[in-house]
Amino acid sequence: MTAFPPALLALADGTVFHGKGIGAAGSTVGEVVFNTAMSGYQEILTDPSYCRQIVTLTYPHIGNTGVNREDVEAGRVHAAGLVIRDLPVLPSNFRMEHTLDAYLKAENVVAIAGIDTRKLTRLLREKGAQAGCIVTARAGETLDAGAAVAQARAFPGLAGMDLAKVVSAPAAFAWTEGEWVLGKGYPSQTESRFHVVAYDFGVKRNILRMLSSRGCRLTVVPAQTPAKDVLAMKPDGVFLSNGPGDPQPCDYAIAAIGEILDARVPTFGICLGHQLLALASGAKTVKMKFGHHGANHPVKDLDSGQVLITSQNHGFAVDPATMPNTLRTTHVSLFDGSNQGIARTDVPAFSFQGHPEASPGPHDVSYLFDRFVQLMQAAK
């Protein structure tokens, strides 16, 4: 790591970690969270749900398989920054096209390596997610820890921040790409049984691929698309995507979802879409202490009794105490008992807090995509 410039991570509580800059020179601020996944760092970096968040990866060796053009969830990196323990200097994988540090530089992402991520994770777990600032020195510059702490303290936090409309596509588009096949890449789906309109609140590409592979012709629309425009397309189903930020300020989405539910169109939501469905149904959401971020979270399906290992990425949750009679809980976290899934009792709509489309995995909850297809089939 001697070839990399000095860098530091400063937290709003005044804690400062010193390490080496492995991405772009300069500074970045955001909410610092930790993710316990052992793989999938490229998918994490490009997940729009991490907008305005600095991601700390608890697995010590990050970058050992490099990066490639196929394993991205969006057109660019959305994470505000990256914090890791060790960057392998000799990455190796038959699919590798670039090293992680070269990729971070090309994407203009400020990142730091060489710090004690275990200490940082314990701090975030005990105090909760907090604002932070990464600074990487340019040639001849001296790092100013006090200024970095001040930048961290100036970050307003994600509560009350509407980011869905920030990361959303500016215009509607069609999607036909299916799930990845070794040696073939992403096939194009030419036959479809259902037309699904997907709201883009920060959608991950693998969600669209899994819907496409199940016979869905997809029209992806911007976050602020009115319900009347969606209903005019006469969709067989409506999908509510994942996304970043606080769901409560997304009044445009909550209103649109309410109209779609009134029209009894089969509806499926994931992550932010799950929270928005709950808000549109009369429930409330709360900011979590440090959220759920990882690929090893046990969740119980209350209908089947099955325990599922899931991928998670959220800092807000549905408050079950505020759910009306038209909502029922379908899944709960076995880590803390928080709500992980809901279903409407009066209209064909359901949602899940975690990520059933998770790539590289786990894939225990992928059956929810089949459930959505079954809802659309029943409604035909």
Side-chain angles (χ1 to χ4, degrees):
M1 297 294 291
T2 55
F4 294 93
L8 62 81
L9 166 67
L11 302 181
D13 70 353
T15 305
V16 177
F17 297 85
H18 290 271
K20 295 291 186 178
I22 60 169
S27 65
T28 186
V29 295
E31 180 185 74
V32 183
V33 298
F34 64 88
N35 187 303
T36 57
M38 296 176 67
S39 59
Y41 53 83
Q42 190 175 352
E43 290 89 344
I44 290 168
L45 285 167
T46 54
D47 181 352
S49 298
Y50 279 112
C51 178
R52 304 302 296 274
Q53 289 184 313
I54 294 173
V55 184
T56 302
L57 297 176
T58 61
Y59 185 70
H61 305 295
I62 300 298
N64 52 351
T65 56
V67 299
N68 63 73
R69 73 191 72 185
E70 291 184 326
D71 291 351
V72 294
E73 292 290 357
R76 64 179 180 87
V77 170
H78 282 275
L82 178 66
V83 181
I84 66 172
R85 175 67 184 91
D86 177 63
L87 177 72
V89 294
L90 290 174
S92 177
N93 185 271
F94 75 101
R95 298 174 66 227
M96 187 182 91
E97 296 172 349
H98 305 286
T99 62
L100 175 59
D101 54 303
Y103 178 67
L104 292 170
K105 288 183 176 70
E107 290 285 317
N108 198 34
V109 179
V110 180
I112 186 172
I115 75 166
D116 188 344
T117 51
R118 294 174 300 176
K119 179 181 178 180
L120 175 58
T121 300
R122 287 195 299 269
L123 190 153
L124 296 174
R125 188 182 62 206
E126 293 164 6
K127 295 186 177 182
Q130 60 176 296
C133 174
I134 304 175
V135 182
T136 297
R138 292 183 172 89
E141 283 186 337
T142 301
L143 296 174
D144 187 338
V149 171
Q151 285 190 63
R153 289 174 177 168
F155 182 72
L158 296 186
M161 189 176 289
D162 176 4
L163 294 175
K165 62 186 179 184
V166 174
V167 301
S168 180
F173 61 93
W175 183 276
T176 59
E177 191 175 88
E179 294 178 77
W180 185 80
V181 178
L182 179 63
K184 298 180 180 180
Y186 296 107
S188 179
Q189 300 299 317
T190 57
E191 297 183 4
S192 61
R193 294 180 292 158
F194 308 100
H195 178 212
V196 173
V197 175
Y199 268 96
D200 178 14
F201 304 123
V203 68
K204 294 172 66 179
R205 289 177 175 175
N206 209 48
I207 289 175
L208 302 177
R209 292 168 183 141
M210 292 185 75
L211 287 169
S212 179
S213 293
R214 285 164 172 78
C216 298
R217 176 172 62 87
L218 290 159
T219 302
V220 185
V221 297
Q224 294 177 285
T225 304
K228 64 179 178 60
D229 293 354
V230 170
L231 296 174
M233 300 179 198
K234 301 187 182 303
D236 296 302
V238 172
F239 175 75
L240 312 173
S241 86
N242 64 291
D246 189 339
Q248 292 191 43
C250 302
D251 52 355
Y252 51 88
I254 296 167
I257 294 166
E259 292 182 47
I260 291 165
L261 295 174
D262 289 342
R264 302 186 65 84
V265 179
T267 303
F268 174 32
I270 287 175
C271 192
L272 182 67
H274 159 74
Q275 298 158 14
L276 292 171
L277 177 64
L279 290 168
S281 302
K284 295 182 179 179
T285 56
V286 295
K287 182 78 166 72
M288 304 177 77
K289 182 178 180 181
F290 48 78
H292 290 169
H293 309 278
N296 55 353
H297 288 235
V299 169
K300 185 174 183 178
D301 184 327
L302 298 183
D303 293 337
S304 67
Q306 186 177 10
V307 176
L308 313 154
I309 303 304
T310 69
S311 179
Q312 301 280 329
N313 174 25
H314 61 104
F316 295 82
V318 174
D319 183 356
T322 66
M323 286 171 47
N325 293 333
T326 54
L327 281 180
R328 68 181 183 91
T329 299
T330 58
H331 298 77
V332 295
S333 167
L334 295 185
F335 274 163
D336 58 13
S338 61
N339 180 279
Q340 282 284 319
I342 57 174
R344 285 285 294 254
T345 59
D346 56 339
V347 294
F350 70 101
S351 59
F352 185 69
Q353 178 63 83
H355 286 272
E357 85 295 340
S359 179
H363 304 143
D364 293 19
V365 203
S366 60
Y367 67 87
L368 293 179
F369 288 97
D370 300 320
R371 182 175 297 175
F372 183 41
V373 169
Q374 290 164 8
L375 272 188
M376 291 188 288
Q377 182 63 52
K380 271 188 172 290

